Amino acid sequence: MEFLGAIADRFAAYIDELTKVIAHADRAEPLRDYCAGLLVTEGRRSVEPMAAVTAPAEVSAQHQRLLHFVANAPWSDEQMLAKVGELVTPSLTRAGPIEAWIIDDTSFPKKGQHSVGVHHQYCGQLGKQANCQVAVTLSIANRDGSLPIAYRLYLPRDWTDDKSRRAKAHVPATVRFKTKPQLALEQIRAALMAGVAPGVVLMDASYGTNGALRQAIVGLGLKYVAAVISTVKVRPVCEDDRKPRRVSVEALARSLPKHAWRTITWREGSNAKLRSRFARVRVHAAPMRGEARFPEETLLIEWPKDEAAPTKFWLATVDQSMSFRALVDLAKLRWRIERDYQELKQEIGLGHYEGRTWRGFHHHGTLAIAAYGFLISERERIPPSAPHRAAAIEKSALPSGYRPRGAPDPAATPRPQLDRHHPSLVGRRNCNDPATMSMLHPSIIA
């Protein structure tokens, strides 16, 4: 019980810190309620089910409070995410510094046409073209964890050019069309200006193939490991004065001698060690028309022995002294964002917001990341040797000991009287009651 009480105290302190960036005192209670609702609600985490869980005796009134807070209240998403990063980074860096910044995007399938940003476009969650929303993110990461620190909806040109749709979704007048790589670059610049500890920028091929983005990252003084598609052209660096012709990265991979390939293990998977066959070559990426000449880079190639062709390619500006295995390990660190997206969607309800407006979409995403940040902080407190540590975060059911306000207490020990104005409440619940706090999320008590 002491352990659960300590969790309750830390959750209350965490929410108190977040309250400092929302300006008005009357927003503190809905902030606690919303974050608690994201953590404890079973099934779909939209406003109505969360209202029923956090205030079962006054669902209608609670629904209106939460809805106003997420859809209308004018607090800053950027300031809130900055505060989350400030609070969670010490847990992330307990075992080592931030190593990477990961840029990526995640999609949310939608059936209708009216939610802000919905468009028929590639939906990664479905693996095909479909009606969906897409959010671009920037995450900080190391081998022990990761956290999104920026979250921005991609607004297709069909939306930015349509005054009527913009007005209905309350899209700010300052929002103009920007590609996903342009949004990612804005997030990187903002992180640098905010003093976020820099890391090597990791990106998949949809971003890494964009030469302008890679050049801009170099111009900001950052290094990158960027996945690229197989048709990207490069010039191998030669020791003599010959000037080799431009070739695709796939053609270059096929021309390499057998001794250029090494089998490398980069980390433990869920069932076995992860290993594959890699080669690396010093190259100059061929610039597109209008682009400046690229610096010398390392081309990293993955070609598993059981595959008929190379499967992955990366261009990297990391130090040449970096070991082969360290380079592979860094390139593969991008898996962290995939785990974040999975947990944010399945455990926190990142894609469950049912409103249609610009502000509501971003507020819900920000609060989901805030709730996720608390889980990260608690997970990092659990020793690596603790039983079921890896699996615990993936369980989302409420523990059976949870008792909503007003329900009879089956236990003999009396519970403290709940006070909605007490500063240690999680929504309408008493954070100092271990039985109450045990329901926050199984990952923090495994």
Side-chain angles (χ1 to χ4, degrees):
M1 286 298 183
E2 289 184 10
F3 175 63
L4 297 178
I7 295 173
D9 291 341
R10 290 195 294 269
F11 182 79
Y14 181 78
I15 294 298
D16 285 345
E17 287 297 314
L18 297 185
T19 301
K20 294 177 181 179
V21 303
I22 58 175
H24 294 282
D26 59 356
R27 295 176 189 159
E29 190 172 293
L31 170 62
R32 290 193 296 269
D33 289 355
Y34 206 96
C35 288
L38 290 169
L39 289 168
V40 306
T41 303
E42 289 187 279
R44 190 161 186 84
R45 292 163 173 85
S46 53
V47 174
E48 187 170 356
M50 290 197 298
V53 168
T54 57
E58 47 178 356
V59 175
S60 180
Q62 176 72 335
H63 180 272
Q64 291 302 314
R65 283 190 290 265
L66 296 183
L67 187 61
H68 175 78
F69 179 70
V70 74
N72 301 318
W75 47 271
S76 169
D77 294 289
E78 291 77 16
Q79 291 178 17
M80 181 69 76
L81 288 174
K83 175 58 74 171
V84 171
E86 175 189 322
L87 296 174
V88 178
T89 295
S91 295
L92 282 178
T93 56
R94 190 168 294 138
I98 296 301
E99 299 173 68
W101 288 5
I102 307 174
I103 57 177
D104 208 339
D105 55 67
T106 189
S107 55
F108 310 99
K110 292 286 182 178
K111 292 183 178 179
Q113 297 282 347
H114 302 293
S115 295
V116 63
V118 168
H119 187 64
H120 193 75
Q121 55 193 322
Y122 181 75
C123 179
Q125 185 170 323
L126 301 177
K128 63 180 181 179
Q129 294 283 323
N131 270 13
C132 65
Q133 296 167 303
V134 177
V136 177
T137 63
L138 173 66
S139 297
I140 54 175
N142 57 23
R143 284 160 180 76
D144 294 308
S146 56
L147 175 76
I149 60 171
Y151 181 82
R152 172 68 181 272
L153 177 69
Y154 165 68
L155 203 61
R157 199 179 292 277
D158 283 358
W159 272 85
T160 57
D161 294 346
D162 190 325
K163 293 182 179 179
S164 176
R165 295 180 88 184
R166 290 177 65 112
K168 290 178 180 178
H170 303 291
V171 177
T174 55
V175 174
R176 295 289 182 266
F177 175 75
K178 290 179 181 176
T179 65
K180 295 170 193 173
Q182 287 171 336
L183 292 175
L185 185 58
E186 278 191 353
Q187 293 174 341
I188 290 172
R189 286 173 173 154
L192 284 173
M193 290 183 63
V196 177
V200 177
V201 180
L202 308 182
M203 45 193 148
D204 68 12
S206 64
Y207 293 89
T209 301
N210 188 301
L213 175 60
R214 299 202 315 272
Q215 282 188 328
I217 290 171
V218 171
L220 292 172
L222 297 172
K223 300 182 183 299
Y224 61 74
V225 178
V228 296
I229 60 176
S230 61
T231 56
V232 166
K233 299 291 183 65
V234 295
R235 294 184 190 274
V237 173
C238 295
E239 298 297 332
D240 52 33
D241 294 331
R242 293 183 298 112
K243 186 177 182 180
R245 63 185 181 87
R246 293 193 310 166
V247 295
S248 71
V249 291
E250 181 174 358
L252 179 56
R254 291 181 178 278
S255 71
L256 295 176
K258 186 175 182 179
H259 64 77
W261 299 92
R262 284 180 53 188
T263 297
I264 293 178
T265 301
W266 63 91
R267 68 177 175 86
E268 295 282 347
S270 56
N271 297 316
K273 291 183 177 180
L274 300 177
R275 58 167 58 90
S276 187
R277 192 174 62 150
F278 296 88
R280 59 177 176 174
V281 186
R282 299 299 295 175
V283 300
H284 285 289
M288 302 293 289
R289 182 175 298 179
E291 292 179 345
R293 179 181 173 85
F294 277 89
E296 190 174 311
E297 301 172 271
T298 297
L299 170 64
L300 177 66
I301 310 159
E302 181 178 0
W303 190 346
K305 288 184 177 181
D306 57 351
E307 295 289 342
T311 56
K312 294 180 182 177
F313 309 88
W314 297 265
L315 288 171
T317 57
V318 296
D319 294 336
Q320 293 189 44
S321 59
M322 179 177 286
S323 71
F324 203 164
R325 178 173 179 173
L327 176 58
V328 170
D329 194 45
L330 186 58
K332 292 293 186 176
L333 188 58
R334 212 190 67 80
W335 74 273
R336 277 285 176 193
I337 190 61
E338 303 299 336
R339 175 61 64 85
D340 283 342
Y341 288 154
Q342 179 185 22
E343 293 180 350
L344 277 162
K345 290 180 179 181
Q346 295 180 4
E347 310 295 335
I348 308 294
L350 177 63
H352 292 179
Y353 183 64
E354 295 178 349
R356 297 177 174 179
T357 66
W358 175 271
R359 177 173 287 165
F361 176 89
H362 288 95
H363 276 5
H364 176 82
T366 295
L367 295 171
I369 293 170
Y372 184 57
F374 178 72
L375 292 188
I376 291 174
S377 296
E378 291 303 307
R379 180 173 55 189
E380 292 304 311
R381 293 175 183 272
I382 303 171
S385 59
H388 309 302
R389 178 176 184 271
I393 190 65
E394 298 176 0
K395 300 178 182 177
S396 60
L398 286 170
S400 57
Y402 163 66
R403 183 174 62 92
R405 184 164 68 98
D409 184 4
T413 304
R415 298 286 190 257
Q417 185 66 34
L418 295 181
D419 178 359
R420 61 178 291 175
H421 300 295
H422 195 281
S424 66
L425 292 183
V426 179
R428 297 289 186 275
R429 301 192 175 94
N430 190 339
C431 288
N432 293 320
D433 180 358
T436 297
M437 280 306 298
S438 70
M439 58 78 185
L440 268 177
H441 202 281
S443 66
I444 61 178
I445 58 173

